Structures are given as structure tokens and as C-alpha cells.
Amino acid sequence: MSPGNTRRGAAIVGAGMIGEVHRRSALLAGAEITGVLASTPQRSLEKAGEWNVCAFASFDEVLADDRVDVVHICTPNATHAPFAEAALAAGKHVICEKPLGISLEEAERMAAAAGASGLVATVPFVYRYHPLVREIRARRQAGEFGDWHLLHGSYLQDWMLDPDASGWRVDPDQGGVSRAFADIGSHWCDLVQWVSGETFTDVLAEFSIAVPTRPAAGGASFSGPSGEVGERVAVRTEDTAALLLRTGSGVLASATISQVAAGRKNRLWFELDGSGGSAVFDQENPEQIWLGGAESNRVLTRDIGTGSAEQRRLSKLPAGHAQGYADCFDAFVADTYAAIDGGDPEGLPTFTDGLRSARLVDAVVRASGYGSWTKV
């Protein structure tokens, strides 16, 4: 913490939905929100008034503020690298939304900067923080599932189903050359690798674009005074991705990723099939997991005081009182702050994990162009 401060100072850079999530979790973790920097000076002032904090005039002002111990980067992907590298150089800890950058080269630079700085730099792969995800991982570590035969699943959303839906993520210059896979497929791959203990080393991938043109990126101002849609541009980032993967130990995996799956709001689902049993997790129903066996199956419900040490640590409410995404984010930010204080929380995703994800995104993009198996 800054000299003389009794609470950790956190600056929120980016004031959209995810910036609001970061702010909430930082406050719950005991931080003081020192200020906010949004996309425009007017937006910064509006959000600062809403949050009752100061409005930063520039990112340089964030870095110059001695009250700021941690910078939460919640901005479009193209800004992640310059913001994170500058924050680390200024001696600030960093929580940066994924992906680390819009290219593998940027991610490599960011991870190297974090490693050289000695500071804490984390990426919110927060689905690791579902208590029952931790339970499956603990059971895998105990050998319950035996050797893996197959890893498979999907991550499905429908927020891009409307042909008029758009935003900065659709623009490769702002969001990167991959959209659906880099945005949500990266979460699926991180989670499955972390839970299963496997590492994806080879990939075969295909992309498709369901909506060939969308309104030009620019936020919510696409409609004119009569409600007509403004200029449309060709879509260059994928709506769906289909993957075959192979791990370093030779286990096969498959994943289907889509942002145009009607009715699916945020369904990250995986099944891990082993010689001794199987496990299924569904992010839209995170309070239960399915455990399969050759002779009987079980449904396990999250509860306090039961299961693995990590399930017990992260279960804050008794069964029947649902925990979800916000609780995961709260736990992730709290663990980041604990690491800043010298702790070593289990499963905290760092820039090293972000770089591993960037390498996989790069391989998936290359594989989608080659039409053949591609090394990660």
C-alpha cells in the first residue's frame, strides 16, 4: 500500500460493464477506489460522480498518483499492452482483462515485463473460482478419474445473434483478429486445462461468420433519428469456432464456441471422461456437478463445510443460496490482493497464464487458415 494509506488504492481504467464488476470486487476486498478513467473526459466525470471518486484526466495521471497501488485495466483489447506495460514500469500492480494483447508479441512483452517487475499481474480467468470447479480439480489430483480418455464441451452465447449487434470487439484493430475464440473460447481452454491438468499442444480449427456485415464499431450510436441502422461494414472476426485439440499426453479434446447460439446466455460447459469416472460442469448451473461412473452416477451440490479444502474456502453460503459469476470475480480480486500482500493463493491466474492463452489463440487463428493440425 502507498505510504500513509490504511487501505489499498485501486484505479479503475475503463467504465463499462466489466469496469463496474472490477469496482465492486475491489471494494469488497477492502480497496479504496482512488479514481476512474473512462473513454472520454465527459464519461470519466459522469462515472466519477456516480461512484463518488475523482476523475482522472489521462492514463499518465493514473500512473503519477501515489495513492494508486493497483491498476484495473478494463478497456478495449488494443489498449491492454500499452496500459499494462506503463503501469508495471511505474511500479503499480496490475489486473488486466484478457486477452493480454491483440497479438502474441504483445502478450510476450507483457508477461516479460510482469516477470521482471516483481509486481503482481493477474488476468481474470475467474471461472476457476467456482467452488465446484475446485472440487473437480481436487478429485482429479486425488486420482478419482483415472487417466483421461476425452475432454469436450462448448462455450455458447447469443449476444451477437442480432445482425445489428456490434461494438469494438468486432473490429480487429480494437479487439484482435479473433473474436469468439479469443473472447470466450480462451476461458474454456484455460478452465479445462487447469482442471484436467492437461496442456493443449496441437489444434485443428475452423471459423465461420454467421452475419457477414454489422454496423461499424462505435458503441450504441448506430441508429439514426428515425431508428435506421447506420453504415455497415464487412465482419472480419468469427462468430463461431469448432476445434479439435490434442494434449501433450495424447488426450483428444473438442470444443464448440459460438456467440450466435440463440437462448444460450453464457453457457460454458465441459465434460472430462476418464478411465475411473467422468465429471461435468455447466457455468449456467454452477451449484451442481455431475459425476459419472460405470455403475452409477451422482449429482453433487455445492455447500459450505463439505468437499475439498478449496470448495470449502470459496463456498460462502449454504446450499440453496446460489453463488455465481460475481462471487467468482470477488474471490479472484481478493486473491490478487492477497498475493500483493505476500500470499500465494492456489490457482491465481497470472500473466503467465495469459501468455499461455495468447499462444493458444495464435495457434487457433493459424490453424483456421491452414486447415491442418497446428502446433501451439
Side-chain angles (χ1 to χ4, degrees):
M1 300 181 188
S2 300
N5 281 1
T6 57
R7 300 175 67 192
R8 181 177 293 104
I12 309 297
V13 182
M17 180 278 289
I18 201 65
E20 293 272 8
V21 173
H22 278 255
R23 169 182 173 269
R24 173 187 182 276
S25 295
L27 288 171
L28 289 173
E32 176 185 0
I33 307 302
T34 55
V36 59
L37 177 66
S39 55
T40 66
Q42 181 60 33
R43 175 73 169 152
S44 294
L45 288 170
E46 291 172 358
K47 190 56 65 173
E50 181 182 325
W51 291 355
N52 194 29
V53 299
C54 80
F56 291 112
S58 67
F59 194 68
D60 286 340
E61 189 173 299
V62 174
L63 302 184
D65 192 332
D66 289 339
R67 299 173 302 155
V68 176
D69 303 298
V70 188
V71 179
H72 290 247
I73 299 172
C74 320
T75 51
N77 300 347
T79 64
H80 291 179
F83 282 175
E85 290 175 291
L88 291 166
K92 313 292 188 184
H93 303 285
V94 173
I95 299 177
C96 181
E97 278 296 318
K98 55 95 198 117
L100 286 191
I102 58 173
S103 70
L104 178 56
E105 292 74 20
E106 284 189 349
E108 288 173 337
R109 287 203 324 263
M110 294 166 73
S117 72
L119 298 163
V120 174
T122 62
V123 182
F125 285 123
V126 298
Y127 298 118
R128 294 184 180 194
Y129 281 86
H130 280 295
L132 290 180
V133 162
R134 300 276 171 141
E135 182 67 23
I136 295 173
R137 185 171 185 265
R139 288 168 180 255
R140 184 268 298 174
Q141 290 173 322
E144 178 174 322
F145 304 113
D147 297 326
W148 295 124
H149 292 328
L150 179 66
L151 317 175
H152 56 109
S154 59
Y155 197 159
L156 308 176
Q157 298 177 333
D158 70 357
W159 69 282
M160 295 298 289
L161 186 63
D162 185 343
D164 291 336
S166 192
W168 62 261
R169 291 184 187 277
V170 180
D171 181 358
D173 292 334
Q174 298 184 67
V177 295
S178 171
R179 175 169 33 97
F181 182 75
D183 186 22
I184 60 176
S186 58
H187 273 296
W188 188 92
C189 289
D190 174 80
L191 191 63
V192 168
Q193 290 181 108
W194 186 70
V195 173
S196 71
E198 296 287 333
T199 300
F200 297 135
T201 58
D202 301 84
V203 61
L204 178 65
E206 287 286 346
F207 287 171
S208 71
I209 295 172
V211 181
T213 67
R214 293 186 184 273
S221 58
F222 298 134
S223 296
S226 301
E228 71 273 11
V229 174
E231 177 192 4
R232 301 186 73 88
V233 296
V235 174
R236 293 177 288 157
T237 54
E238 79 281 359
D239 290 309
T240 62
L243 287 74
L244 290 176
L245 303 118
R246 188 164 50 230
T247 74
S249 61
V251 178
L252 285 178
S254 66
T256 303
I257 311 300
S258 178
Q259 294 178 326
V260 290
R264 297 300 189 186
K265 302 306 176 185
N266 197 47
R267 190 175 190 262
L268 188 165
W269 181 95
F270 68 71
E271 178 168 332
L272 313 179
D273 299 329
S275 59
S278 300
V280 172
F281 174 78
D282 180 356
Q283 203 279 148
E284 288 190 340
N285 181 29
E287 293 288 271
Q288 294 183 328
I289 54 174
W290 181 88
L291 299 174
E295 297 180 356
S296 64
N297 305 322
R298 292 171 290 158
V299 173
L300 183 69
T301 299
R302 183 199 61 78
D303 204 353
I304 57 173
T306 63
S308 67
E310 282 295 286
Q311 186 196 168
R312 293 195 302 272
R313 178 174 81 91
L314 295 172
S315 289
K316 304 300 184 182
L317 300 169
H321 301 77
Q323 292 184 204
Y325 175 83
D327 301 281
C328 291
F329 217 103
D330 296 343
F332 158 73
V333 171
D335 271 7
T336 298
Y337 289 0
I340 292 170
D341 292 338
D344 185 24
E346 181 177 347
L348 180 64
T350 68
F351 274 25
T352 298
D353 299 288
L355 176 57
R356 183 180 300 111
S357 177
R359 287 174 174 151
L360 185 54
V361 171
D362 177 74
V364 168
V365 171
R366 287 187 286 115
S368 71
Y370 296 160
S372 60
W373 283 96
T374 301
K375 286 287 184 184
V376 176

